[in-house]
Amino acid sequence: MVTMTGSLLSQADPEVAASIGRERRRQIEGIELIASENYASAAVLEAVGTVLTNKYAEGLPGKRYYGGCEFVDEIEVLAIERAKQLFGAEHANVQPHSGASANLAAYFSLLNPGDKILGLNLSEGGHLTHGKDVNFSGRFFDAHFYGVDPVTGLIDYDQVLAKAREVRPQAIICGASAYSRIIDFKRFREIADDVGAFLFADIAHIAGLVAGGEHPSPVGYAHITTSTTHKTLRGPRSGFIMTSEEFGAGIDKTVFPGMHGGPLMHVIAGKAVAFREALQPSFKDYARQIVLNAKAMASAFMERGFPIISGGTDNHLLLVDVGSIGISGRKAERLLDSVGISTNRNTIPGDTRSALLGSGVRIGTPAVTTRGFDEADCVQVVDFITRALRAPDDDVALARIGAEVKELTSRFPVPGIDRDALD
Ligand code: DSN
């Protein structure tokens, strides 16, 4: 079984098997609050761990550069059709290996090197691939940024419009990795139209919420929509792209041969399975609970005196201002790690600390919701977190919280991971 460190792997490579075993234990016993992570189902894990990894399939279904592609063709067609159905898209390409490569394909299909792009500043919730200087997006394109309002923490669409009129970009990128409010894709399209720019929507974080009807969809507004598959969407670690018929052929050509050779057919199978799962009615319940849990956590933090950027959340994540109690995000992240709670530090709007330290901690509910946590469980988690953050040097208190974390997680099996297989 792929979810276990099976005996074959243990025999063939005991070192790798042992590390996987420790990671499996960490995932089961800890509380996973990294907003971009989730637990893929056993079916997704199984698909990704199959013989499909042996197959080369350069090209697209029916148009391959290798023989023996009849069965992987079936799988890729299923993945494409399911992605289109799930998001109501005219065209989908399911080959990008990640969200970053999906964005690379979007840029290179409609832009030329040196063109101007306008995206949300990384330090205010954006993403590396939205123009950061150390990333391809900032190296090949002339990147400009909009931010969030320093007081409200919200995207100020008038400011985006003003910036767009000043910069006159060829493309505007909307979407974020640390923004907890609804993104108004219609407004972004109006701004893009105002300046004659393409609109790219990166829904890597919120794809599962869009699929589940908890967040408006950019499909129909954005010229190109990119996403990962492993965050709220709960599939394998990968990416995909959606667009209209008009831009479909350009995207396909940019992905292959423009960007990569052979697609990862085992991962495409995992994507097909995940899209099918997301098409089930129960996925809507899951998406709804993700948001309810995040809202419950935001309220509980604020009740305990921790400011939440923008005063709450509409989606799967919240940004907690831990600088307010005089500690950095990095210190908070490490402290929480020590009690078995995984989060990640983040800068907050107007941060005076560097990105290495940050004054915020980003918290997301997709993974705990997958394992069945409800609002009360999430408030319990906030209690663990705030107690730990307020007792950074109290080893006894931290040990007690660590034990409570294990007790809580022992009551929630992780779909896809067999607890009995723990070493
Ligand atoms: N690294 C992802 C995140 O954590 O948001 C985005 O690529």
Side-chain angles (χ1 to χ4, degrees):
M1 197 177 156
V2 291
T3 52
M4 299 162 50
T5 314
S7 59
L8 286 180
L9 179 58
S10 303
Q11 284 165 23
D13 193 332
E15 288 164 290
V16 167
S19 292
I20 293 173
R22 286 191 287 275
E23 171 61 12
R24 193 176 55 233
R25 178 179 288 280
R26 189 193 71 78
Q27 291 191 16
I28 290 177
E29 293 185 345
I31 295 176
E32 185 52 74
L33 295 177
I34 292 177
S36 48
E37 295 188 9
N38 210 330
Y39 297 108
S41 70
V44 167
L45 294 176
E46 187 177 335
V48 173
T50 60
V51 294
L52 297 175
T53 197
N54 298 334
K55 188 72 194 100
Y56 250 120
E58 285 186 8
L60 284 166
K63 291 179 273 182
R64 305 286 191 186
Y65 289 82
Y66 289 81
C69 287
E70 57 271 38
F71 305 118
V72 292
D73 275 5
E74 292 169 4
I75 290 165
E76 187 164 345
V77 167
L78 282 172
I80 291 168
E81 292 307 317
R82 289 172 183 174
K84 285 162 59 177
Q85 187 186 346
L86 189 57
F87 293 95
E90 286 180 12
H91 185 92
N93 185 303
V94 297
Q95 292 195 0
H97 302 332
S98 67
S101 49
N103 285 343
L104 184 70
Y107 294 168
F108 280 97
S109 69
L110 289 182
L111 306 179
N112 292 307
D115 278 357
K116 291 179 191 168
I117 59 173
L118 177 64
L120 176 61
N121 220 326
L122 177 62
S123 62
E124 298 180 56
H127 188 253
L128 273 176
T129 58
H130 298 180
K132 183 72 181 158
D133 53 1
V134 292
N135 181 262
F136 75 83
S137 54
R139 296 186 62 193
F140 286 98
F141 300 99
D142 179 10
H144 298 260
F145 301 97
Y146 56 89
V148 296
D149 183 285
V151 176
T152 63
L154 302 175
I155 293 171
D156 176 345
Y157 293 91
D158 292 334
Q159 189 231 346
V160 180
L161 176 61
K163 192 80 188 172
R165 285 180 174 166
E166 176 197 322
V167 171
R168 312 295 306 182
Q170 274 71 42
I172 295 175
I173 301 115
C174 58
S177 60
Y179 186 70
S180 63
R181 296 301 188 170
I182 297 291
I183 295 174
D184 188 343
F185 296 117
K186 179 171 180 288
R187 186 77 203 278
F188 265 112
R189 177 59 188 262
E190 287 163 3
I191 294 169
D193 285 346
D194 186 276
V195 298
F198 290 116
L199 180 65
F200 298 163
D202 178 347
I203 59 166
H205 264 264
I206 57 171
L209 302 183
V210 173
E214 290 295 316
H215 191 293
S217 175
V219 172
Y221 292 118
H223 296 92
I224 300 179
T225 298
T226 58
S227 185
T228 56
T229 43
H230 50 276
K231 299 186 174 91
T232 49
L233 198 48
R234 207 163 57 179
R237 183 158 297 275
S238 199
F240 68 109
I241 305 174
M242 293 177 290
T243 187
S244 58
E245 287 299 347
E246 182 186 1
F247 300 116
I251 281 290
D252 288 348
K253 211 170 130 205
T254 310
V255 171
F256 172 84
M259 221 171 63
H260 67 218
L264 309 178
M265 294 314 304
H266 55 307
V267 185
I268 289 176
K271 285 184 252 196
V273 174
F275 293 143
R276 187 177 194 277
E277 290 175 353
L279 281 162
Q280 306 311 309
S282 59
F283 196 83
K284 285 194 191 316
D285 300 333
Y286 167 63
R288 188 171 317 115
Q289 193 62 46
I290 288 177
V291 178
L292 291 174
N293 284 348
K295 283 182 186 293
M297 290 186 89
S299 300
F301 272 111
M302 290 188 287
E303 280 159 17
R304 288 161 180 74
F306 283 82
I308 298 295
I309 303 307
S310 88
T313 180
D314 299 324
N315 62 20
H316 63 300
L317 68 81
L318 42 139
L319 211 47
V320 187
D321 178 358
V322 293
S324 63
I325 60 160
I327 64 172
S328 68
R330 182 168 72 178
K331 174 145 188 173
E333 177 193 301
R334 289 182 177 169
L335 202 54
L336 295 175
D337 256 337
S338 77
V339 297
I341 299 176
S342 296
T343 61
N344 68 278
R345 62 182 175 275
N346 223 98
T347 49
I348 58 176
D351 212 325
T352 50
R353 290 184 171 90
S354 69
L356 214 58
L357 294 174
S359 296
V361 170
R362 188 184 66 162
I363 284 176
T365 55
V368 289
T369 306
T370 290
R371 69 190 294 181
F373 283 33
D374 65 12
E375 292 99 311
D377 304 312
C378 286
V379 169
Q380 176 71 70
V381 174
V382 172
D383 210 55
F384 295 155
I385 294 173
T386 52
R387 279 163 53 204
L389 295 182
R390 289 209 158 103
D393 302 313
D394 185 341
D395 290 343
V396 175
L398 293 175
R400 191 177 312 123
I401 296 165
E404 290 176 55
V405 165
K406 275 195 186 161
E407 193 284 320
L408 179 65
T409 55
S410 72
R411 291 190 270 124
F412 292 91
V414 177
I417 309 183
D418 184 358
R419 177 176 274 274
D420 294 338
L422 282 184
D423 305 318

